Amino acid sequence: MTEQGVAGSFRDPSGFLFIKDGVLYRQVNSVYRDHYDHLMNSGLYDNLVKLSLLVRHIEASASISISQPAYKVIKPDPIKFISYPYEWCFSQMKDAALAVLEIEKVSLGYDMTLKDCPAYNMQFSKGKALLIDTLSFEIYAENKPWSAYRQFCQHFLAPLALMSYRDICLNQMSRVYLDGIPLDLAAKLLPSKARFNLNLFMHIYMHAASQDKYTDRAPDKKALSRRISKTSLLGLIDSLEHGVRTLKWRPGEDDWYRYYSDVSSCPDEYQDQKKQLVSDWLDKIKPGSVWDLGANTGKFSRIACEKGIFTLSLDSDPACVEGNYLMDSGPGKELMLPLVIDLTNPSPGIGWDNTERTTLWQRGHAETVLALALVHHLAITNNLPLDRIASFFRKICNSLIIEFVPKNDPNTQKLLSSRADIFPDYTREMFEEQFSKFFKIISSSPIKHSGRILYLMK
Amino acid sequence: MYIDPGTGSLIFQILLAGAVGFIYVLKMHWLKVKSFFNGKFARLRRTND
């Protein structure tokens, strides 16, 4: 029997996550008893689960608790893949923020409130944001302010404002600032026109000024003891919700269609044949999961989803991931998780001991990887030798559907247009030789109307 | 609570509470009035049809 605590779950005295014999549990400590009972008995838990805002759980035997004093042990429904705020596109962050505010609104109706709201407590499951920390709730103390207000502004409002007003890539700051972006920094980085957004002016600029004022001062006990009614709290939530809803981001024309211009030189027959091959090979392998690397807007990821396969759809372009996430629901959409990931610089381990938030690869293993229209970007743009690319894929998956894009392909030529061709080994023969050191090539098929070749490898 | 809510954040929230609470009450009343008149006009339209 093996048990171990989950590295990132240690701050909250109410309880923590642990894994026993490969199953994830959450221990509910005795100190949290009243809050837990209220959550379950008041109807709040049932309501939030029905609204798909809170993860479902079942109660396990308290005897499997791994420390004392434990009240209960619960087994939450597992999330298919844990993702972090710096991997989300704009609309994913916005939906997560709105979900937090909805949860707080509903909770107040049951005399409960969120005691914290870090972005890490929100995860995507079946295409929607939901809260995974069942112990985030506490009984609402009459007339007390919302203790999670600072966290909401730093974890959600600030990143969204920076993405909307300054640059979409600023969500990467969440990787550096584990407890959300400091509001004074956000205020400095935002353009002056952001001040004219009343909600941002209040919740970022004035909020930052207040934080700054009280940083090194003794707490003003008289001010802190003033009461704040539930109506005012609802007003605060409403103001934050309005602030979040008004933040928008639309990718520029160039971003949306960068990839489509890449393949516009390839006729429809190319796309159709490629789709058919991917579909047939997925039927042959029947993987439990697919990771589509360099997925763009998820055209091929959808093929896997429609077969009932959970698919991670990864691309480094936030515009593509945004387009993917917002695409109309089709069959299998609930099985897709699009994320912003730069394959050449994927999410590292961060936080205390570099284990609080884990690397991308530590959070899951791909049964099958799709690497379509990708290898030329890795080999040419990023100067990665083919053997390194092959050994990398070997490490991360059981089977691989990969497209070799030869040097004479118009897109590869574009990559070489402004640089010296220092890639004498980038040939079909070398590609097959290097990959054969790590994989068995099961099948290969040239794609008509292009010089490209699709391979199935195991 | 185990997190630090931040003194500056708590005080700011308390200062803001009155204003946001007032605006919220106004908004809720406005929505009630709007819904009342929408209901009335819908009934009128149904009677006239």
Side-chain angles (χ1 to χ4, degrees), chain A residues 28-289:
Chain A
V28 183
N29 289 337
S30 303
V31 69
Y32 192 69
R33 177 194 298 255
D34 292 344
H35 304 282
Y36 179 80
D37 287 344
H38 189 101
L39 170 69
M40 302 307 293
N41 300 331
S42 64
L44 176 58
Y45 167 82
D46 292 325
N47 195 0
L48 290 176
V49 167
K50 196 168 80 170
L51 293 169
S52 301
L53 287 172
L54 175 65
V55 72
R56 220 173 51 99
H57 72 259
I58 55 174
E59 289 187 3
S61 164
S63 62
I64 63 170
S65 60
I66 65 172
S67 70
Q68 294 300 325
Y71 173 50
K72 279 188 196 270
V73 174
I74 61 176
K75 181 171 158 304
D77 280 356
I79 301 293
K80 291 264 194 207
F81 189 80
I82 295 291
S83 60
Y84 298 144
Y86 39 88
E87 297 166 344
W88 297 341
C89 65
F90 179 80
S91 289
Q92 283 171 317
M93 177 65 94
K94 189 167 171 174
D95 286 350
L98 291 171
V100 168
L101 295 175
E102 184 64 21
I103 292 167
E104 178 64 8
K105 248 193 301 194
V106 171
S107 302
L108 284 170
Y110 291 84
D111 284 329
M112 294 207 90
T113 179
L114 286 172
K115 67 184 186 213
D116 65 3
C117 65
Y120 300 96
N121 276 359
M122 301 304 289
Q123 290 297 328
F124 286 88
S125 177
K126 298 184 183 150
K128 291 182 72 173
L130 85 168
L131 176 65
I132 57 164
D133 187 356
T134 315
L135 313 189
S136 269
F137 301 90
E138 64 181 2
I139 295 169
Y140 168 65
E142 202 69 36
N143 299 319
K144 288 279 182 242
W146 188 28
S147 55
Y149 171 60
R150 177 191 65 77
Q151 262 193 338
F152 183 83
C153 293
Q154 292 186 201
H155 280 253
F156 293 101
L157 194 63
L160 280 167
L162 286 167
M163 282 194 259
S164 176
Y165 276 89
R166 190 53 95 183
D167 193 287
I168 191 61
C169 295
L170 287 175
N171 76 323
Q172 290 300 308
M173 287 179 66
S174 298
R175 220 202 264 190
V176 173
Y177 295 101
L178 228 63
D179 196 20
I181 300 173
L183 297 180
D184 59 339
L185 180 59
K188 281 182 203 151
L189 292 174
L190 284 167
S192 353
K193 66 178 175 181
R195 284 168 198 268
F196 296 103
N197 179 321
L198 180 63
N199 291 293
L200 292 187
F201 183 68
M202 286 191 296
H203 300 299
I204 294 185
Y205 290 91
M206 288 176 63
H207 190 172
S210 181
Q211 284 181 330
D212 187 50
K213 182 174 177 187
Y214 288 96
T215 298
D216 292 316
R217 277 169 57 157
D220 186 340
K221 289 210 163 67
K222 192 172 165 205
L224 282 172
S225 64
R226 277 170 61 183
R227 295 137 74 92
I228 164 173
S229 67
K230 199 188 255 191
T231 306
S232 295
L233 273 188
L234 287 167
L236 184 79
I237 305 300
D238 193 64
S239 164
L240 288 167
E241 185 184 339
H242 188 69
V244 169
R245 286 195 191 281
T246 57
L247 293 173
K248 293 189 185 352
W249 179 70
R250 282 206 62 80
E253 275 287 315
D254 292 343
D255 295 321
W256 271 113
Y257 295 107
R258 191 187 310 148
Y259 178 74
Y260 290 112
S261 69
D262 269 2
V263 295
S264 63
S265 55
C266 299
D268 288 338
E269 291 88 342
Y270 158 82
Q271 296 282 348
D272 293 342
Q273 190 196 353
K274 201 161 132 179
K275 279 182 187 168
Q276 191 58 55
L277 279 166
V278 168
S279 177
D280 291 344
W281 287 347
L282 286 175
D283 285 337
K284 191 170 169 168
I285 314 166
K286 294 189 191 354
S289 65

Side-chain angles (χ1 to χ4, degrees), chain A residues 337-407:
Chain A
L337 177 57
L339 293 174
V340 182
I341 298 288
D342 178 355
L343 215 56
T344 62
N345 186 16
S347 307
I350 61 169
W352 178 256
D353 200 25
N354 289 113
T355 59
E356 259 190 273
R357 307 298 160 201
T358 52
T359 73
L360 184 72
W361 317 113
Q362 284 171 316
R363 280 176 267 147
H365 181 79
E367 285 192 37
T368 297
V369 156
L370 301 184
L372 308 172
L374 177 68
V375 76
H376 57 315
H377 288 289
L378 297 176
I380 308 289
T381 312
N382 290 281
N383 290 40
L384 283 163
L386 284 170
D387 63 333
R388 289 231 179 178
I389 298 173
S391 75
F392 163 75
F393 280 121
R394 178 72 285 171
K395 209 171 55 167
I396 66 166
C397 69
N398 298 346
S399 56
L400 176 61
I401 297 176
I402 184 164
E403 182 177 15
F404 178 68
V405 184
K407 219 185 263 188

